[in-house]
Amino acid sequence: MFQELYQESLSRAEHKVWILSDLQQGLPENTRRCLEAGISDFELLKRPAEQIWYLGDAVEGGDPDRLIAMCELQEKAFASLNIPLCYATGNHDYDFSRAHRDRAPWMPFYEMVRNHPGWKTTASCEDFYFRTEIGKYPVYFLCDHISQANKWCVTHSRVAWGREDYPYSDASAQALRAKMAAETEPLITCGHYGFSGCNRDHDLMDHLLPLPPTERIHFYGHSHIGDWAWGKKDTWRRICWVDWHDVPQIDVSSFENIRGQHCRSVLLHIYADGNMGVFFRNHDLHCFTEAYFPAGENGPQGWNDMRFKYESPK
């Protein structure tokens, strides 16, 4: 049934995106194995995407040789698909910088993406978002970020170190929210983390709330499906909603089957009328496991309810 739904959706889709996150291995041999499982299955589907959105944690650990090897494996694999890739950093991109606070930051996967022709990420490691488009639809990638001097860093949706030097404030978040609200087409947000109501960390993400009425859907990683140690009660939850909003959040993780249960990802279809289809893919078993079609109109109803008053997170 899911395969039939997918094929019908594929024939109707105006735009198609492959969304993944959290390959996140410390050993190149594990990276190679999981990467081959995901890429080979994507090839079986005949590369059905015009963009790839990679939502963080491509690598893990602080060993320079292993990090470089894992970056090279992934660059070669994703470049072979000839599909533009957008990357939002996640907490494990900063493992080396966390361990070497006395040095300038080094995030080899982020730097590889930034230097790869046609691929996108933030222009500076200090930027906390970047904007792109899929057709006419704006897409905002919300990213972890770090000082160029390693004086401060944001991971796990909070200031991990250097709070006294952190340059952004609530005003910075509200300026971004105003920019998002000024978009005339329905918008999509992505990042390593979700908003309030998601499976795991969301503190700094919540400074963007309430989301503008044009927000349609949010995609995130970080909470590996099938990972009991971190997921706990939300271990199997793929779909949730932003608190007090009729805006769905989709957990796309993880692109590995060691910490998570299977190598997973999501395929997004956008139709001519602006509606969407979300297809959850199990790459180990070569099958779609779920399909979801978000409501056509999603607004921040709860935020406009006079019974509820939003207070900015401390």
Side-chain angles (χ1 to χ4, degrees), residues 201-260:
D201 305 295
H202 56 80
D203 290 355
L204 282 180
M205 294 285 290
D206 286 355
H207 285 242
L208 289 173
L209 301 180
L211 294 170
T214 49
E215 172 85 11
R216 287 296 313 283
I217 194 168
H218 179 72
F219 295 94
Y220 71 103
H222 192 48
S223 187
H224 303 215
I225 302 300
D227 178 11
W228 287 101
W230 291 97
K232 298 182 171 54
K233 68 179 178 61
D234 297 322
T235 295
W236 304 107
R237 187 169 68 160
R238 285 84 148 164
I239 307 173
C240 58
W241 269 257
V242 180
D243 284 350
W244 297 94
H245 292 63
D246 187 16
V247 176
Q249 306 189 83
I250 309 299
D251 182 358
V252 307
S253 61
S254 60
F255 205 58
E256 54 83 27
N257 57 16
I258 297 171
R259 181 175 139 182

